[in-house]
Amino acid sequence: MKRLGAKRKFKVSLSFMERIGQITEPRALAAIAFAVCTFLLSGGIYVLAESPPALQGRSLIFRGTMHQGVSEFIAVFLVMIMGGVGLYLLYSTFREMIGGRRTLGIKMITAVMLIVIAYVLLEFMLRIKIGAF
């Protein structure tokens, strides 16, 4: 009976080693690097390091202050992820077009729309932040 338990432990460690092997693949490392860069660029360190003032009213973005709250960080993080997904879709569309597939119009339109929406939302959030609206 002890022998079965030993085999299960071996399976768990083998599965763990397979997971480590999957994480170290170039595609997985690129996804991890993208998530870390997006976290840093959207102000994750700032939100963790400084305690911003409490939200006044029900606004998602602090107007006219240089402080960033958790809600702003989440909004910027998600919009940046949306833009990154759009850029990846656009890249994969161009790669597939070179391969000979010409019926990729919907994928390309979706990618461009994601990029444009992400840009417009980031620009809008910046204008609210600096008090232009």
Side-chain angles (χ1 to χ4, degrees), residues 3-132:
R3 208 171 221 197
L4 287 177
K7 285 184 180 180
R8 286 185 183 166
K9 287 181 183 178
F10 181 71
K11 276 188 175 181
V12 169
S13 64
L14 182 62
S15 175
F16 176 73
M17 293 304 288
E18 288 174 359
R19 294 280 183 194
I20 295 294
Q22 290 173 352
I23 290 174
T24 57
E25 290 180 9
R27 197 172 227 172
L29 289 176
I32 291 169
F34 174 72
V36 169
C37 288
T38 305
F39 174 78
L40 293 175
L41 289 174
S42 60
I45 299 297
Y46 179 80
V47 170
L48 292 175
E50 181 163 323
S51 176
L55 281 174
Q56 298 175 355
R58 295 190 182 257
S59 175
L60 180 68
I61 298 170
F62 296 128
R63 292 178 181 265
T65 66
M66 294 311 295
H67 294 287
Q68 179 180 3
V70 176
S71 59
E72 285 180 72
F73 163 70
I74 291 171
V76 171
F77 185 75
L78 292 177
V79 170
M80 288 182 74
I81 292 281
M82 182 175 62
V85 168
L87 288 172
Y88 179 75
L89 281 174
L90 193 62
Y91 168 73
S92 65
T93 302
F94 285 131
R95 268 183 63 191
E96 291 175 18
M97 283 178 69
I98 291 171
R101 295 182 62 194
R102 298 284 181 193
T103 59
L104 300 169
I106 294 175
K107 188 175 179 182
M108 185 178 289
I109 290 171
T110 303
V112 170
M113 289 305 296
L114 282 174
I115 294 167
V116 168
I117 290 170
Y119 175 75
V120 168
L121 284 175
L122 283 173
E123 196 64 35
F124 179 71
M125 286 189 276
L126 176 66
R127 302 255 181 210
I128 288 175
K129 185 73 171 176
I130 62 174

